Amino acid sequence: MLIRIPPPHPIRSSEITPERVHDDRRRLVAQLGLSAVALVTGCGRSDDAQAERPQASTEIAATDSASTVAPAAGSEGRAALNVAKRSELAGGETLTPFMDVSTYNNYYEFGTSKDQPARNAHTLKTRPWMVTVDGECESPGQLGIEDLVNASTLEERVYRFRCVEAWSMVVPWVGIALSDVLARFKPTSKAKYVAFETFYDRQQMPLGRWAGFELPYVEGLRIDEAMHPLTLLTVGMYGRVLPNQNGAPLRLVVPWKYGYKSIKSIVRVRFVEKEPPTTWNILQPEEYGFYSNVNPAVSHPRWSQSGERRLGELFKRKTLLYNGYTEVASLYTGMDPVKFH
Ligand code: MTE
């Protein structure tokens, strides 16, 4: 099954991709026996249809799983972070190799196939970077990325991360509890939800025109989800600042929800009274709900969510309710998971 999100102005890949890269790609496609269109992927496709999924990078896996804060292969040039505390929250599972996590990405502003963000996201300028926090709060203001990166409270959290496409990974993210940051702005009782917005600039993100949805990318959480201690405002991974393709300089990681809730390169946070619009829900409301909690019993209309494949592994494993983070269950007491999917 191949489901493709059509770009608003369909064009040939040779027109948007530098010639050399395009030629390399064509060679790869020919070698793998794939059709060119099969390289177009995204949150609209299950892992079963993703022929370009990377295979095990065993060499790197051995290095990475030995130490999480040591520089990972390919991390040269990105500053090391001062991590004060480490929490293992993935049941001791082996980390996914840094190389896989940083070359198999969904970041539509830099291209709709998994390999494009790693090649294209270098055009994003991540310094200086300010985040505006406003809406229903007593102390609206701005937050500089340096305030967060230099925070003495930076934590490393090893989380499972599950994409709606049915692939998953285990990543040592570095960041700060979102609740600690939000509290500084003193949300009022009217703040029932938190809305997030990604940076968007046509010059720095020229492929954004063909993302297939309106930009900037927007996401949202209910206030109690945003304040839950597991929700991480993330500035790094594998002990170093985030690569651009993984959402530098600042992204969310919400480990019990499908990956698309983990919005990248955030520039605006707003406390709001009503449920805010979210990118994938605007695009396909029947397929992508506001809540998007990982739930093996609630199928995507086009594929089952009962299993998932860890990047680099051959066989599928069972998907866990709330991605295994069942401590969040009380947030959803009395809510029908199908209706509020
Ligand atoms: N944020 C922005 N701004 N743009 C995107 O395209 N993709 C989402 C999410 N955040 C996306 C985004 C999706 S679909 C997933 S699965 C995760 O980022 C992927 O994160 P990763 O590339 O670090 O694995």
Side-chain angles (χ1 to χ4, degrees), residues 107 110 120-126 129 199 204-205 244 248 265:
Y107 199 164
F110 295 106
N120 297 330
H122 60 90
T123 54
L124 178 66
K125 291 194 208 93
T126 57
W129 192 276
F199 175 74
Q204 293 180 53
M205 298 162 155
N244 285 5
S265 309

Side-chain angles (χ1 to χ4, degrees), residues 43 105-109 163 169 198 217 246 251 259 262 264:
C43 282
N105 299 100
N106 277 334
Y107 199 164
Y108 279 55
E109 289 86 332
C163 178
M169 52 193 190
T198 293
Y217 193 100
N246 289 92
R251 69 173 292 173
S262 293
K264 296 178 171 180

Side-chain angles (χ1 to χ4, degrees), residues 42-43 100-101 104-111 114 117 161-165 167 169 171 173 197-199 205 213 215-219 237 242 245-247 251-252 258-265 280 311:
C43 282
D100 288 348
V101 178
Y104 188 79
N105 299 100
N106 277 334
Y107 199 164
Y108 279 55
E109 289 86 332
F110 295 106
K114 296 286 185 284
F161 185 90
R162 167 62 155 85
C163 178
V164 74
E165 296 164 338
W167 53 266
M169 52 193 190
V171 184
W173 304 105
E197 195 175 300
T198 293
F199 175 74
M205 298 162 155
F213 44 69
L215 294 175
Y217 193 100
V218 287
E219 255 307 332
M237 62 185 212
L242 284 170
Q245 60 271 26
N246 289 92
R251 69 173 292 173
L252 272 192
Y258 292 120
Y260 59 88
K261 298 294 287 184
S262 293
I263 182 172
K264 296 178 171 180
S265 309
W280 284 95
L311 292 189

